[in-house]
Amino acid sequence: MAPTVLQQKEAGEEDVVVVVVGAGIAGLAVALGLHRKGVKCRVLESSPELRASGFAIATWRNALQALDALGVGDKIRKCHLHLQELQVFSSSTGEMSHTTSLNVQGKRGPNEMLCVRRDWLLRALEEELPNGTIRYSSKIVLIGCDGVNSVVAKWLGLPKPSYSGRLATRGLACYPGGHGFDPKFKMFFGHGFRLGVIPCNDTDVYWFFTWSPSEHDDDALAKKKQFVLTKLRSAEIPAEVMEVIERSDAKHVLTAPLRFRPPLSLLLASISKGNVCVAGDALHPMTPDLGQGGCAALEDGVVLARCLGDAILGGGGGGAESERIEAGLREYARIRRWRSAELIGTAYVVGFMQESSNAVISFLRDNWLAGALHLVLHEANHVEQAAVPGRREALPDPKQLDELDGHHGDIPRRRGAGEDAVVIVGAGIAGLAVALGLHRKGVKCTVLESSPELRASGFAIATWRNALQALDAFGVGDKIRKCHLHLQELHVFSSFTGEMAHATSLNEQGKRGPNEMLCVRRDWLLRALEEELPEGTIRYSSKIVEIEEDGDAKILHLADGAILRAKVVIGCDGVNSVVAKWLGLAKPSYSGRLATRGLACYPGGHGFDPKFKMFFGHGFRLGVIPCNDTDVYWFFTWSPSEHVSVIDTLSRMNKKFVLTKLNSAEIPAEVLEIIERSEAKDVLTAPLRFRPPLSLLLASISKGNVCVAGDALHPMTPDLGQGGCAALEDGVVLARCLGDAILGGGGGGAESERIEAGLREYARIRRWRSAELIGTAYAVGFMQESSNAVISFLRDNWLAGALHRSSMQQKEAGEEAVVVVGAGIAGLAVALGLHRKGVKCSVLESSPELRASGFAFATWTNAWQALDNLGVGDKIRKLHLHLQELHVFSSSTGEITRRADLTVQGKRGPNELRCVRRDWLLRALEEELPKGTIRYSSKIVAIEEDGNAKIIHLADGAILRAKVLIGCDGVNSVVAKWLGLTKPSSSGRLATRGLAHYPDGHGLDPRFKMFVGHGFRAGVIPCNKTDAYWFFTWSPSEHESNGVEESAEKMKQFVLTKLRSSKIPTEVLEVVERSNINDVVASPLRFRAPLSLLLASISKGNACVAGDALHPMTPDLGQGGCAALEDGVVLARCLGDALLGGGGAAESERIEASLREYARIRRWRSVELVGTAYVVGIVQQSNNAVISFLRDKWLAGVLAGRLLKMADYDSKSVCIRTKPFASMQQEQADGREIVIAGAGLAGLAVALGLHRKGLRSVVLESSPTLRTSGLAFITWTNAFRALDALGVGDKMRSQHQQIQRLNVMSSATGEIVQEIDLRAQGKRGTHEARCVSRTALLLALEEELPRGTIRYSSKIVSIEEDGNAKILHLSDGSTLRAKVLIGCDGINSVVARWLGFAKPSVDIMGTPYPYGMGNVCVAGDALHPMTPDLGQGGCAALEDGVVLARCLGDAILGGGGGGAESERIEAGLREYARIRRWRSAELIGTAYAVGFMQESSNAVISFLRDNWLAGAL
């Protein structure tokens, strides 16, 4: 007995994730696809070896694309003939009725067809699988690829395949010496049969014969070759075809009945169930009349490998593996169901037509239908291009399987045939950069290159940091870095003296991170860009001679006579641009200078240091730069005199001229040797031209759907080394602007209008940048080459560094959007919060590295909420102990005066305290930020205003321009001073802090021990198992303050002396004694007076402060760092929303309003913390007998309570988003919760909308899991807009196919009465419709919500009022108290009934609010149950969610002015009701009327509907 899978595992075999049944084409394709995705599988084959049922298969383009994706396409092509023609003959007359090329251009490229031997194909697939994947002589069930008589299909309940009433005989004829046939597919039909002959390769010919047997046909004879020959001799069949059949050996002839699965049964059947599915003939047995059986099996393999592979590898987020696998197989079934039904049905019809001997059908077929039937064959192999890959190269990379997305939504990845969507003129750096940028966006383009191959004008380019950033964006940055040297220094020499005038590091810190420079070979760069483009993107030898307009399109006339029609034209055709000329740009001007460039090759290595050496003076500029270990690039620019203005164009003369000029200057011998070594073919001379900056500022860079980029836009002199770099910048910007426009981003307008607006935006961005580069390069070149004595002296002795900085600064162009000053806790929290919102910022830190002022700080509940919101809470928790208790001791008596549980339940959940190491926290925040966000050694010395911008002057002389300035620069804040905040006051106290290390563990309990009295306050807190933090604060007398602060050793001894004079436990003293001198610091305690903070300007225009720059305070509450984290989250939310475009005002106004809102939220919180901390500190340290008695006997508890109360801050003010459900319960009991009844579409949409606004809610779902009422629903444009607003639109699009057309048919006549394009242009953009799985949508919404938002098995049974709150009684006996109650609990809504809805209606708010219903409303089916005739039930629920989240969110967050929160909530819900009332009424009424009209059998209504009303409906 064969061992089971479990027994195999117990026997020590590796765990197998997937079992595939059947080692046929489908089975091996699935296995190889999963192997490419990195998923291990086992193939069980019942036979003892690979078995080919049949001899060959017609392999069309779709199958070859699938084989390419599996990495075996080229292997198959090499051993089979590429068929050129299909010839269709009538077997009645012997005449050819139709012929067609099999290489004709299809919708997605040229067609391709081979006749592939089955055994060779199976072997090719098997060879790519790991040894042992296939287990022969095995029968088990999981993924069924086990053919027509599939065990798996039977288990799934699929109906048994039906007999078509036809038989097929197939054979293979072998010609060892070669058959000599042309590579043509010959097919004969009529006389009740179909015959085909197809050469496989040079020695094998495959043939097939299908027919419908009559009763008198001998069954035994029918299975023999002689029967076929007998049937054929009665028809007009050529002798060479008969000879193929006669030549076939008996063992190479097989006869089998043709069976198929009826399409309708396939549409209704279960293709997958749980973790079981079928593929290949087990799924779609079909007649062979389309030649698509094996092709479809390969399609199945690729699609199933992608869906199942992604599920097993965990893509897509939540759910257990079993749930993901089930969802993956459902997705596979969805994709393949309609494709399979279409193929089966079409094949059956085609076979019937081809074999019919009916006179009428034969006449039509032979004289008219032959071509139509051929087109059907072609269309069958043209699946939606996402179904199989559009490229030919083999794809061993598993990521490529993601492109095999059969019918996987209508994501715009490739543009269809017809007119070329985007035509780029010129395959230089700019042209290929734009093309690759658009390709990365999913937009197809064509690049026209006048040369017959890629051409590099010049040998190398200086590639600065801006260009490398662009290359990184294109995905080729690392490829370029690997093959070029990273240059370290720039050395500038005077050619008069030979001395170095300036040296600078090329890796120094720039505004956006360290600089970077390579010298990149142009040909290598062009090749790297070309390799990333789809094959066929570049069309060589295609020179534009003329451009015409035709409506919104451009007609391009090429030199070879071809004509193209383009939706967009982008000119990247260099200095002499045809496109630029058409746009009216001025012809580039001659600069009066020439440049000679060359490349020297050292096969054995050049040995030069990675340095850029530049020489200027004597009227020339020379540079030498190593590209890699073997190539050195050099350039020489000069202004020719009249008698040498025309130079012999021979490279040899060019080189000699350069050497002659250099021999008259002080140039090192090794530099001259580089030029001498250059071969003649590697030296070029050209005039330097540029476009005057003023003409560029006034010119049309874009006009309608035409623009220019690269040298066609900004030809410039090479003195900044920015020509190629700027071309790459153009590529990134243009791809983004144009890609977004074509893909429909940005809302309304026809596509042509969006394209025009996108190109205008590109022109706006690049115009000033280009003018600046051109002008600066011209000025720098003039200075560098001048031989004037005064200019030479200034240049060599002073300007060399300035000229270099001009070059370097070009890489830092553009103002900084947001500048944060200070990389402390507040600064990094703000930066990370903005990064989480998708807003880029720069952080300026005066120190050369991260600096922690102090060693650790008490991190209370409010800080943990902020850290969770920033996404680093768990990372920090793992490294620190959770403190359990606070023990407050009297330092006078040594007794515990107060014990407090630090995990006690607060208003918003259990409290939490850890002592966090500052350096670890700063590092954790830094690691989450993009590289280069923090700019070190950048100290602000002055701030100026320039309109809406702030000009920031740094100590190193650099100047920044900021759109927003945020001061997080500590107690001595420059920004706070600029805002006019008062200088922090001295509290009259000092603090000493230290850290003790115990490498073997300290053994201290997780308790916070604090000692108060005797004029000091001391505390010891363990951070983790090896570190303990301590602090000591006191009010020094005159003689105590002298000299103590100057020495850490003196300070430590002073602390020990003070502690030993009190009742302090030995283990506490030992912590202080153990501290290293380097781990002890002392500082005065300062604070900002609360009254001054109330009156001060926390923000002014686009500047504000946070952290200690806002609220310096004494440490007596342990809230300094915690409040800084609160600031960071609140400021990131307010500012992020403003920058991301909320509202209709200008950006500057939105920024100013957001900073005012931040100041409003934080002002009173800061005042409360500062004031409370000051008072608590005075009481705790006091030596006064009365205060000491009160503190020790009574106030200790009050003071401990203040610590917990200050930490229990209103989380909504800090936009917390990830708090677990357990911590919500107390908040609910206090009536501070938003409760949503029902986790359907409306409920989850409302919850996610509120979450996006920074508000938390609880969703009560009566079921134990998510529950879908219905399997799917039509999701129209309005719903996708709502899903986009909720942030899940693209996820849904990627999983569901776009519906192209609506066909309205009469069930009486079967005729189409109306056909509607569902992608037509609407008022607000292109329409969109998909049939979305309800389960998939609910899961997508759930995954975006914080964990614990949904509370399952929670059914509301009754609702009571208690003031402004609602008391909810649940079926499990528990009670909740809600601030807001939203009923999304469906047609039988408890909330709607409580509001007074007697039956479904459009009355939203029920009885007016004086009856106590102000904070309750309904949404979704609880509001507007409707008939499904408009397909708007689910769509309207999503609309409700977005509108309600906006109205309620704005109300709770304080938008809209004054009033108590309850009044704002009530007003918000009234506004929601006003918006949705008429919309709901309109939808319900229209749906009812449409349904009545559509279903009526009344003769008059039916006539009107079919002939007139169909379109209106």
Side-chain angles (χ1 to χ4, degrees):
M1 179 177 172
T4 65
V5 173
L6 286 176
Q7 289 167 337
Q8 292 167 11
K9 188 173 178 182
E10 289 166 1
E13 286 196 11
E14 288 185 87
D15 193 13
V16 175
V17 179
V18 179
V19 175
V20 180
V21 182
I25 294 175
L28 296 187
V30 172
L32 184 52
L34 290 171
H35 173 59
R36 297 291 191 224
K37 294 283 286 185
V39 176
K40 184 177 179 184
C41 66
R42 174 66 48 77
V43 181
L44 304 181
E45 170 55 39
S46 60
S47 302
E49 59 184 8
L50 283 181
R51 178 182 57 177
S53 56
F55 302 103
I57 61 168
T59 308
W60 296 86
R61 182 173 178 268
N62 55 328
L64 288 165
Q65 288 175 321
L67 291 173
D68 285 335
L70 297 171
V72 296
D74 289 339
K75 183 187 293 188
I76 296 298
R77 288 184 179 93
K78 286 176 184 174
C79 51
H80 293 86
L81 290 175
H82 195 160
L83 301 177
Q84 305 298 316
E85 280 187 337
L86 166 64
Q87 296 178 344
V88 184
F89 297 83
S90 167
S91 61
S92 303
T93 65
E95 295 178 357
M96 187 188 299
S97 57
H98 186 77
T99 182
T100 188
S101 169
L102 292 175
N103 303 322
V104 70
Q105 187 75 17
K107 293 180 180 177
R108 296 165 188 91
N111 285 305
E112 189 175 11
M113 183 193 175
L114 318 176
C115 183
V116 173
R117 285 191 53 161
R118 280 184 181 260
D119 52 346
W120 293 9
L121 174 57
L122 294 178
R123 200 173 309 124
L125 294 169
E126 179 197 31
E127 287 169 357
E128 296 294 310
L129 291 169
N131 283 339
T133 298
I134 306 175
R135 179 173 170 178
Y136 295 101
S137 302
S138 300
K139 293 187 178 181
I140 193 169
V141 177
L142 201 50
I143 293 183
C145 302
D146 45 344
V148 177
N149 298 313
S150 170
V151 177
V152 182
K154 182 178 180 182
W155 183 87
L156 284 171
L158 271 76
K160 191 175 179 181
S162 303
Y163 173 48
S164 67
R166 296 161 60 207
L167 297 175
T169 299
R170 302 171 175 95
L172 192 72
C174 301
Y175 295 74
H179 51 64
F181 292 117
D182 292 331
K184 297 176 181 176
F185 178 1
K186 294 184 178 181
M187 186 159 57
F188 304 81
F189 45 60
H191 273 92
F193 67 77
R194 188 172 72 102
L195 168 70
V197 176
I198 321 175
C200 296
N201 45 48
D202 292 332
T203 60
D204 300 319
V205 180
Y206 171 67
W207 60 270
F208 61 84
F209 177 82
T210 66
W211 83 102
S212 302
S214 62
E215 292 181 5
H216 60 271
D217 284 337
D218 187 291
D219 290 342
L221 179 61
K223 297 182 180 179
K224 296 182 179 180
K225 183 172 71 174
Q226 291 307 316
F227 175 82
V228 174
L229 289 169
T230 302
K231 295 281 282 187
L232 295 180
R233 286 183 184 122
S234 64
E236 295 292 331
I237 305 299
E240 67 267 22
V241 173
M242 302 289 288
E243 198 269 338
V244 169
I245 299 169
E246 288 173 346
R247 190 178 187 97
S248 304
D249 192 80
K251 66 178 181 178
H252 289 153
V253 178
L254 291 173
T255 298
L258 297 182
R259 290 186 284 169
F260 70 103
R261 180 161 281 125
L264 183 60
S265 71
L266 188 62
L267 291 176
L268 301 175
S270 297
I271 296 175
S272 74
K273 187 188 297 181
N275 60 347
V276 181
C277 72
V278 285
D281 282 346
L283 166 61
H284 44 60
M286 65 184 77
T287 60
D289 305 286
L290 287 181
Q292 280 291 322
C295 301
L298 290 168
E299 287 182 16
D300 294 341
V302 174
V303 176
L304 179 53
R306 178 185 59 75
C307 295
L308 183 56
D310 287 347
I312 290 172
L313 296 175
E321 185 182 50
S322 60
E323 295 172 2
R324 296 199 309 271
I325 288 173
E326 187 171 343
L329 296 187
R330 281 201 305 272
E331 174 66 5
Y332 157 74
R334 183 191 68 78
I335 293 169
R336 299 302 298 163
R337 186 186 303 277
W338 285 97
R339 170 70 171 161
S340 301
E342 178 188 31
L343 288 174
I344 294 171
T346 307
Y348 185 85
V349 172
V350 167
F352 171 79
M353 294 294 295
Q354 286 179 333
E355 289 190 11
S356 176
S357 56
N358 177 280
V360 176
I361 293 177
S362 297
F363 175 80
L364 292 174
R365 178 191 64 221
D366 297 345
N367 293 280
W368 180 73
L369 288 177
L373 294 176
H374 152 69
L375 288 175
V376 170
L377 292 178
H378 271 295
E379 287 302 318
N381 81 80
H382 278 290
V383 289
E384 189 72 25
Q385 93 276 1
V388 287
R391 298 194 191 173
R392 174 171 282 217
E393 56 265 36
L395 305 175
D397 182 355
K399 293 178 183 174
Q400 287 267 2
L401 286 173
D402 294 338
E403 295 185 10
L404 311 184
D405 198 348
H407 299 286
H408 192 304
D410 197 16
I411 302 174
R413 297 196 179 195
R414 307 260 197 275
R415 306 294 293 185
E419 71 175 8
D420 278 286
V422 180
V423 174
I424 299 168
V425 186
I429 293 175
L432 296 187
V434 174
L436 184 52
L438 290 172
H439 173 61
R440 297 291 190 228
K441 295 282 287 185
V443 176
K444 184 182 176 184
C445 63
T446 297
V447 182
L448 304 180
E449 171 52 39
S450 60
S451 303
E453 59 184 7
L454 282 181
R455 179 182 58 177
S457 56
F459 302 103
I461 60 168
T463 308
W464 298 88
R465 182 172 180 269
N466 55 329
L468 288 164
Q469 287 176 320
L471 290 173
D472 286 335
F474 294 134
V476 296
D478 290 338
K479 183 188 294 188
I480 296 299
R481 288 182 178 93
K482 286 175 184 174
C483 50
H484 293 88
L485 289 174
H486 196 161
L487 301 175
Q488 304 297 317
E489 291 184 310
L490 167 65
H491 289 182
V492 182
F493 297 85
S494 168
S495 61
F496 288 103
T497 64
E499 296 178 355
M500 190 187 298
H502 186 74
T504 189
S505 169
L506 293 175
N507 302 322
E508 68 183 23
Q509 188 75 13
K511 293 178 183 177
R512 297 172 182 85
N515 283 304
E516 189 175 9
M517 183 192 174
L518 317 176
C519 183
V520 172
R521 285 191 52 162
R522 279 184 182 259
D523 53 346
W524 292 9
L525 174 57
L526 293 177
R527 201 172 307 124
L529 294 170
E530 179 199 31
E531 288 170 356
E532 296 294 311
L533 290 170
E535 187 176 335
T537 298
I538 307 175
R539 179 172 167 172
Y540 294 103
S541 301
S542 300
K543 183 178 180 180
I544 286 190
V545 293
E546 189 182 353
I547 304 172
E548 294 181 1
E549 291 191 80
D550 183 15
D552 287 330
K554 296 294 179 285
I555 308 300
L556 309 179
H557 297 265
L558 306 188
D560 61 3
I563 298 174
L564 292 182
R565 181 182 180 88
K567 190 182 296 182
V568 183
V569 177
I570 302 170
C572 302
D573 43 343
V575 178
N576 300 310
S577 169
V578 175
V579 181
K581 182 180 178 181
W582 186 86
L583 284 172
L585 271 74
K587 191 175 179 181
S589 303
Y590 174 48
S591 67
R593 297 160 59 206
L594 297 174
T596 298
R597 302 171 174 95
L599 193 71
C601 299
Y602 296 75
H606 50 64
F608 293 116
D609 293 331
K611 295 176 181 176
F612 178 3
K613 294 183 179 180
M614 188 158 57
F615 304 80
F616 46 60
H618 275 95
F620 68 77
R621 185 172 74 103
L622 169 70
V624 175
I625 323 175
C627 296
N628 46 50
D629 292 331
T630 59
D631 300 319
V632 181
Y633 171 67
W634 60 269
F635 62 83
F636 177 82
T637 65
W638 83 103
S639 302
S641 59
E642 291 181 9
H643 63 278
V644 292
S645 60
V646 179
I647 293 184
D648 191 330
T649 56
L650 292 174
S651 296
R652 188 180 302 278
M653 292 299 294
N654 289 341
K655 189 169 83 172
K656 285 185 177 179
F657 176 80
V658 172
L659 288 169
T660 302
K661 294 281 285 184
L662 295 181
N663 286 331
S664 64
E666 294 292 331
I667 305 297
E670 68 267 20
V671 174
L672 295 173
E673 196 270 337
I674 290 170
I675 299 169
E676 288 173 345
R677 190 179 186 96
S678 305
E679 293 187 24
K681 66 181 177 65
D682 291 334
V683 180
L684 292 173
T685 297
L688 298 180
R689 291 185 283 171
F690 71 104
R691 179 161 280 126
L694 184 59
S695 73
L696 189 61
L697 291 176
L698 301 175
S700 298
I701 296 174
S702 74
K703 185 190 295 181
N705 57 348
V706 182
C707 72
V708 284
D711 283 345
L713 167 61
H714 45 58
M716 65 184 77
T717 60
D719 305 286
L720 289 179
Q722 279 291 320
C725 301
L728 291 168
E729 287 183 12
D730 294 341
V732 173
V733 176
L734 180 50
R736 175 176 57 80
C737 295
L738 180 57
D740 290 346
I742 290 176
L743 297 176
E751 186 182 48
S752 59
E753 296 173 3
R754 296 200 309 270
I755 289 172
E756 187 170 345
L759 297 187
R760 280 201 307 271
E761 174 66 5
Y762 158 74
R764 183 190 68 77
I765 295 170
R766 299 303 296 165
R767 187 186 304 276
W768 284 96
R769 171 70 169 159
S770 300
E772 180 188 28
L773 288 173
I774 294 171
T776 307
Y778 185 86
V780 167
F782 172 79
M783 295 293 295
Q784 287 179 333
E785 288 191 12
S786 177
S787 55
N788 179 281
V790 176
I791 293 177
S792 297
F793 174 80
L794 292 173
R795 177 190 65 221
D796 297 346
N797 293 280
W798 181 71
L799 289 176
L803 293 175
H804 157 65
R805 279 195 297 273
S806 294
S807 176
M808 296 288 284
Q809 285 170 357
Q810 296 313 312
K811 293 158 278 303
E812 308 285 345
E815 71 175 8
E816 298 280 352
V818 180
V819 173
V820 179
V821 185
I825 293 175
L828 296 187
V830 172
L832 183 52
L834 290 172
H835 173 60
R836 296 288 190 231
K837 296 281 286 184
V839 176
K840 184 180 177 184
C841 66
S842 289
V843 181
L844 306 180
E845 171 53 39
S846 59
S847 304
E849 59 184 7
L850 282 182
R851 178 181 58 176
S853 55
F855 302 103
F857 71 103
T859 309
W860 296 87
T861 312
N862 53 328
W864 287 112
Q865 290 175 323
L867 289 172
D868 284 336
N869 200 39
L870 295 172
V872 295
D874 289 337
K875 183 188 292 187
I876 300 298
R877 285 184 178 94
K878 291 175 184 175
L879 305 173
H880 297 86
L881 292 173
H882 190 170
L883 302 177
Q884 303 298 313
E885 287 186 318
L886 166 65
H887 288 185
V888 183
F889 296 82
S890 168
S891 55
S892 305
T893 64
E895 295 177 355
I896 295 178
T897 58
R898 175 69 178 177
R899 282 188 176 90
D901 182 0
L902 294 176
T903 62
V904 71
Q905 189 76 9
K907 291 181 180 178
R908 295 163 190 90
N911 282 298
E912 184 176 10
L913 173 66
R914 287 173 169 84
C915 185
V916 171
R917 285 190 52 162
R918 282 183 181 260
D919 53 346
W920 293 7
L921 174 58
L922 294 178
R923 199 172 307 125
L925 294 170
E926 180 198 33
E927 287 171 356
E928 296 293 310
L929 290 170
K931 191 175 181 182
T933 298
I934 307 175
R935 177 173 169 170
Y936 294 101
S937 303
S938 300
K939 183 178 181 181
I940 288 189
V941 292
I943 303 169
E944 295 179 1
E945 291 191 81
D946 182 15
N948 287 325
K950 297 291 180 287
I951 307 300
I952 303 167
H953 298 266
L954 305 186
D956 61 2
I959 299 174
L960 294 182
R961 183 182 179 89
K963 190 186 297 182
V964 183
L965 176 61
I966 302 169
C968 302
D969 44 344
V971 178
N972 300 310
S973 169
V974 175
V975 181
K977 182 179 178 182
W978 184 85
L979 284 172
L981 271 74
T982 57
K983 191 175 179 180
S985 305
S986 171
S987 67
R989 298 160 59 205
L990 294 175
T992 300
R993 302 172 176 95
L995 195 69
H997 299 283
Y998 296 77
D1000 298 326
H1002 49 60
L1004 299 174
D1005 293 332
R1007 293 173 181 163
F1008 177 3
K1009 295 182 179 180
M1010 186 161 56
F1011 303 83
V1012 295
H1014 272 106
F1016 67 79
R1017 186 174 73 99
V1020 173
I1021 322 176
C1023 296
N1024 46 51
K1025 293 180 179 179
T1026 58
D1027 300 319
Y1029 170 67
W1030 60 268
F1031 62 83
F1032 179 85
T1033 66
W1034 84 105
S1035 302
S1037 59
E1038 290 184 11
H1039 66 275
E1040 285 176 337
S1041 60
N1042 292 331
V1044 171
E1045 293 180 65
E1046 299 172 4
S1047 165
E1049 180 60 41
K1050 287 183 180 178
M1051 175 55 66
K1052 178 178 163 183
Q1053 292 305 319
F1054 173 80
V1055 171
L1056 287 169
T1057 302
K1058 293 284 282 185
L1059 293 178
R1060 286 176 183 137
S1061 64
S1062 302
K1063 301 285 186 178
I1064 305 297
T1066 305
E1067 65 268 21
V1068 174
L1069 295 172
E1070 199 270 336
V1071 171
V1072 179
E1073 288 172 343
R1074 191 179 185 93
S1075 304
N1076 190 285
I1077 297 303
N1078 295 327
D1079 292 332
V1080 178
V1081 295
S1083 59
L1085 298 180
R1086 292 185 283 171
F1087 70 104
R1088 179 161 280 125
L1091 184 59
S1092 73
L1093 195 57
L1094 282 177
L1095 303 175
S1097 297
I1098 296 175
S1099 73
K1100 185 190 295 181
N1102 58 348
C1104 71
V1105 284
D1108 283 346
L1110 166 62
H1111 45 58
M1113 66 184 76
T1114 59
D1116 305 286
L1117 288 179
Q1119 279 291 324
C1122 301
L1125 290 168
E1126 288 181 11
D1127 294 341
V1129 177
V1130 175
L1131 181 50
R1133 174 176 59 80
C1134 295
L1135 181 57
D1137 289 347
L1139 288 171
L1140 295 175
E1147 186 181 52
S1148 59
E1149 296 173 3
R1150 295 199 311 269
I1151 289 171
E1152 187 170 345
S1154 71
L1155 297 187
R1156 283 200 304 271
E1157 174 66 4
Y1158 158 75
R1160 181 191 68 77
I1161 294 170
R1162 298 305 296 163
R1163 187 185 303 276
W1164 284 100
R1165 171 69 170 163
S1166 301
V1167 167
E1168 181 185 30
L1169 290 173
V1170 173
T1172 305
Y1174 184 83
V1175 172
V1176 166
I1178 292 294
V1179 173
Q1180 286 180 332
Q1181 286 189 199
S1182 177
N1183 219 2
N1184 180 279
V1186 177
I1187 292 178
S1188 296
F1189 175 80
L1190 293 174
R1191 178 189 63 223
D1192 296 346
K1193 299 296 184 183
W1194 181 71
L1195 289 176
V1198 175
L1199 296 176
R1202 293 306 297 176
L1203 295 176
L1204 295 173
K1205 183 177 180 182
M1206 289 297 102
D1208 200 11
Y1209 178 56
D1210 184 356
S1211 61
K1212 291 183 179 60
S1213 296
V1214 290
C1215 188
I1216 298 304
R1217 296 172 177 159
T1218 55
K1219 203 171 177 183
F1221 181 79
S1223 64
M1224 298 179 187
Q1225 293 173 337
Q1226 186 61 38
E1227 182 168 347
Q1228 294 164 359
D1230 289 338
R1232 302 194 59 78
E1233 193 57 79
I1234 301 169
V1235 175
I1236 299 168
L1241 291 180
L1244 296 188
V1246 174
L1248 184 52
L1250 291 171
H1251 173 59
R1252 297 291 189 226
K1253 296 284 286 185
L1255 295 173
R1256 192 186 62 206
S1257 60
V1258 168
V1259 181
L1260 304 181
E1261 170 55 38
S1262 59
S1263 303
T1265 60
L1266 282 180
R1267 180 181 56 176
T1268 58
S1269 55
L1271 302 175
F1273 70 102
I1274 302 295
T1275 308
W1276 298 91
T1277 313
N1278 56 328
F1280 271 105
R1281 287 205 190 98
L1283 291 173
D1284 286 335
L1286 296 172
V1288 296
D1290 289 339
K1291 183 187 291 188
M1292 286 296 100
R1293 290 183 178 95
S1294 69
Q1295 297 174 8
H1296 298 86
Q1297 178 186 358
Q1298 179 157 349
I1299 304 169
Q1300 310 291 324
R1301 306 192 73 78
L1302 167 63
N1303 288 348
V1304 183
M1305 290 180 275
S1306 168
S1307 58
T1309 66
E1311 296 177 355
I1312 296 176
V1313 296
Q1314 181 75 20
E1315 190 170 1
I1316 301 169
D1317 183 1
L1318 294 181
R1319 300 166 299 168
Q1321 192 71 20
K1323 293 180 181 178
R1324 297 174 183 83
T1326 307
H1327 283 299
E1328 185 175 11
R1330 287 175 166 83
C1331 186
V1332 170
S1333 163
R1334 282 185 181 261
T1335 302
L1337 178 53
L1338 291 177
L1339 288 173
L1341 295 169
E1342 180 195 33
E1343 286 167 2
E1344 296 293 312
L1345 290 170
R1347 188 176 177 184
T1349 297
I1350 306 175
R1351 179 172 167 175
Y1352 293 103
S1353 301
S1354 300
K1355 182 178 181 180
I1356 295 178
V1357 292
S1358 65
I1359 305 169
E1360 295 180 3
E1361 292 188 78
D1362 183 12
N1364 287 326
K1366 297 294 178 285
I1367 308 299
L1368 310 178
H1369 297 272
L1370 306 186
S1371 56
D1372 61 4
S1374 61
T1375 302
L1376 294 183
R1377 185 180 179 87
K1379 183 191 339 186
V1380 181
L1381 175 59
I1382 302 168
C1384 303
D1385 43 345
I1387 295 179
N1388 299 312
S1389 169
V1390 175
V1391 181
R1393 189 169 69 239
W1394 184 86
L1395 282 170
F1397 284 30
K1399 58 181 179 180
S1401 70
V1402 294
D1403 185 9
I1404 298 177
M1405 290 295 291
T1407 309
Y1409 74 88
Y1411 291 86
M1413 302 180 187
N1415 58 349
V1416 182
C1417 71
V1418 285
D1421 284 346
L1423 164 62
H1424 44 59
M1426 64 184 78
T1427 60
D1429 304 286
L1430 286 181
Q1432 279 291 324
C1435 302
L1438 293 170
E1439 287 183 14
D1440 294 342
V1442 173
V1443 175
L1444 180 51
R1446 176 175 58 80
C1447 295
L1448 181 58
D1450 289 347
I1452 291 176
L1453 295 174
E1461 186 181 50
S1462 60
E1463 295 173 3
R1464 296 200 309 271
I1465 288 172
E1466 188 174 334
L1469 297 187
R1470 281 203 304 272
E1471 174 65 7
Y1472 159 72
R1474 183 191 66 78
I1475 295 170
R1476 299 303 297 163
R1477 186 186 303 275
W1478 287 103
R1479 170 70 169 162
S1480 301
E1482 178 188 31
L1483 289 174
I1484 293 170
T1486 307
Y1488 184 83
V1490 166
F1492 172 78
M1493 294 293 294
Q1494 286 177 331
E1495 291 189 10
S1496 176
S1497 58
N1498 178 280
V1500 176
I1501 294 177
S1502 297
F1503 175 80
L1504 292 174
R1505 178 189 64 223
D1506 296 347
N1507 293 280
W1508 181 72
L1509 288 177
L1513 295 177

